[in-house]
Short mmCIF file of all heavy atoms in Angstrom, two decimals:
data_model
loop_
_atom_site.label_atom_id
_atom_site.label_comp_id
_atom_site.label_asym_id
_atom_site.label_seq_id
_atom_site.Cartn_x
_atom_site.Cartn_y
_atom_site.Cartn_z
N LEU A 105 -15.07 170.29 -135.97
CA LEU A 105 -15.86 170.28 -137.19
C LEU A 105 -15.39 169.23 -138.15
O LEU A 105 -16.19 168.49 -138.76
CB LEU A 105 -15.77 171.68 -137.88
CG LEU A 105 -16.65 172.74 -137.32
CD1 LEU A 105 -16.23 174.12 -137.88
CD2 LEU A 105 -18.12 172.51 -137.58
N ARG A 120 -20.84 174.25 -135.64
CA ARG A 120 -20.54 173.80 -134.30
C ARG A 120 -20.87 174.95 -133.36
O ARG A 120 -20.49 176.09 -133.61
CB ARG A 120 -19.05 173.42 -134.19
CG ARG A 120 -18.64 172.96 -132.80
CD ARG A 120 -17.15 172.68 -132.79
NE ARG A 120 -16.63 172.50 -131.46
CZ ARG A 120 -15.35 172.49 -131.12
NH1 ARG A 120 -14.41 172.65 -132.03
NH2 ARG A 120 -15.01 172.36 -129.83
N SER A 134 -23.31 181.91 -125.98
CA SER A 134 -23.00 180.86 -127.01
C SER A 134 -22.03 181.39 -128.02
O SER A 134 -22.00 182.60 -128.33
CB SER A 134 -24.30 180.46 -127.74
OG SER A 134 -25.28 179.98 -126.84
N ALA A 135 -21.22 180.48 -128.55
CA ALA A 135 -20.30 180.81 -129.62
C ALA A 135 -20.51 179.80 -130.74
O ALA A 135 -20.69 178.59 -130.47
CB ALA A 135 -18.85 180.83 -129.16
N ILE A 136 -20.47 180.27 -132.00
CA ILE A 136 -20.59 179.34 -133.09
C ILE A 136 -19.39 179.41 -134.03
O ILE A 136 -18.68 180.41 -134.05
CB ILE A 136 -21.89 179.66 -133.92
CG1 ILE A 136 -21.66 180.84 -134.89
CG2 ILE A 136 -23.10 179.94 -133.06
CD1 ILE A 136 -22.52 180.85 -136.10
N THR A 137 -19.18 178.30 -134.75
CA THR A 137 -18.08 178.32 -135.76
C THR A 137 -18.61 177.52 -136.95
O THR A 137 -19.32 176.54 -136.81
CB THR A 137 -16.75 177.75 -135.19
OG1 THR A 137 -15.72 178.02 -136.07
CG2 THR A 137 -16.85 176.28 -134.88
N GLN A 138 -18.21 177.93 -138.10
CA GLN A 138 -18.81 177.51 -139.37
C GLN A 138 -18.01 176.40 -140.03
O GLN A 138 -16.78 176.50 -140.17
CB GLN A 138 -18.92 178.73 -140.28
CG GLN A 138 -19.58 178.54 -141.60
CD GLN A 138 -19.69 179.87 -142.36
OE1 GLN A 138 -19.73 180.97 -141.78
NE2 GLN A 138 -19.63 179.79 -143.68
N LEU A 151 -26.76 181.81 -135.55
CA LEU A 151 -26.66 182.94 -134.60
C LEU A 151 -28.01 183.40 -134.18
O LEU A 151 -28.23 183.74 -133.01
CB LEU A 151 -25.88 184.10 -135.26
CG LEU A 151 -24.37 183.98 -135.35
CD1 LEU A 151 -23.80 185.03 -136.30
CD2 LEU A 151 -23.73 184.07 -133.99
N ILE A 161 -22.07 184.74 -130.44
CA ILE A 161 -21.01 185.31 -131.26
C ILE A 161 -20.44 184.28 -132.15
O ILE A 161 -20.60 183.06 -131.94
CB ILE A 161 -19.88 185.95 -130.39
CG1 ILE A 161 -19.16 184.87 -129.56
CG2 ILE A 161 -20.40 187.08 -129.50
CD1 ILE A 161 -17.90 185.34 -128.89
N GLN A 162 -19.73 184.67 -133.20
CA GLN A 162 -19.04 183.75 -134.08
C GLN A 162 -17.53 183.87 -133.87
O GLN A 162 -17.00 184.97 -133.80
CB GLN A 162 -19.41 184.02 -135.56
CG GLN A 162 -18.82 183.00 -136.53
CD GLN A 162 -19.40 183.14 -137.91
OE1 GLN A 162 -20.27 183.96 -138.18
NE2 GLN A 162 -18.99 182.27 -138.84
N VAL A 163 -16.86 182.72 -133.72
CA VAL A 163 -15.44 182.70 -133.46
C VAL A 163 -14.75 181.69 -134.39
O VAL A 163 -15.41 180.75 -134.87
CB VAL A 163 -15.07 182.38 -132.00
CG1 VAL A 163 -15.72 183.41 -131.05
CG2 VAL A 163 -15.56 180.94 -131.66
N PRO A 164 -13.44 181.83 -134.62
CA PRO A 164 -12.71 180.77 -135.31
C PRO A 164 -12.70 179.49 -134.48
O PRO A 164 -12.75 179.53 -133.22
CB PRO A 164 -11.28 181.32 -135.45
CG PRO A 164 -11.39 182.76 -135.17
CD PRO A 164 -12.58 182.96 -134.24
N GLU A 165 -12.64 178.34 -135.12
CA GLU A 165 -12.78 177.11 -134.37
C GLU A 165 -11.64 176.87 -133.41
O GLU A 165 -11.84 176.25 -132.35
CB GLU A 165 -12.83 175.89 -135.34
CG GLU A 165 -13.11 174.62 -134.57
CD GLU A 165 -13.34 173.39 -135.42
OE1 GLU A 165 -12.75 173.34 -136.53
OE2 GLU A 165 -14.06 172.45 -135.01
N ASN A 166 -10.46 177.42 -133.65
CA ASN A 166 -9.39 177.21 -132.73
C ASN A 166 -9.59 177.85 -131.38
O ASN A 166 -8.84 177.58 -130.39
CB ASN A 166 -8.01 177.67 -133.33
CG ASN A 166 -7.99 179.19 -133.50
OD1 ASN A 166 -8.95 179.82 -133.89
ND2 ASN A 166 -6.81 179.78 -133.26
N LEU A 167 -10.62 178.67 -131.24
CA LEU A 167 -10.96 179.29 -129.95
C LEU A 167 -12.11 178.62 -129.25
O LEU A 167 -12.52 179.06 -128.15
CB LEU A 167 -11.28 180.79 -130.17
CG LEU A 167 -10.11 181.64 -130.73
CD1 LEU A 167 -10.54 183.08 -130.93
CD2 LEU A 167 -8.89 181.57 -129.78
N MET A 168 -12.68 177.58 -129.82
CA MET A 168 -13.84 176.97 -129.23
C MET A 168 -13.55 176.28 -127.90
O MET A 168 -14.40 176.17 -127.04
CB MET A 168 -14.52 175.98 -130.21
CG MET A 168 -15.24 176.64 -131.37
SD MET A 168 -16.67 177.64 -130.79
CE MET A 168 -17.92 176.37 -130.66
N ASP A 169 -12.32 175.76 -127.77
CA ASP A 169 -12.01 175.12 -126.47
C ASP A 169 -11.95 176.16 -125.33
O ASP A 169 -12.40 175.91 -124.22
CB ASP A 169 -10.67 174.35 -126.51
CG ASP A 169 -10.75 173.16 -127.46
OD1 ASP A 169 -11.70 172.39 -127.34
OD2 ASP A 169 -9.82 173.00 -128.27
N VAL A 171 -13.74 178.93 -125.39
CA VAL A 171 -15.16 179.22 -125.12
C VAL A 171 -15.78 178.18 -124.21
O VAL A 171 -16.55 178.54 -123.27
CB VAL A 171 -15.93 179.31 -126.45
CG1 VAL A 171 -17.43 179.36 -126.21
CG2 VAL A 171 -15.46 180.49 -127.26
#
Side-chain angles (χ1 to χ4, degrees):
L105 282 167
R120 179 183 169 194
S134 304
I136 80 157
T137 192
Q138 185 176 330
L151 283 170
I161 63 170
Q162 186 167 359
V163 300
E165 187 175 29
N166 67 321
L167 296 179
M168 286 296 275
D169 293 315
V171 168

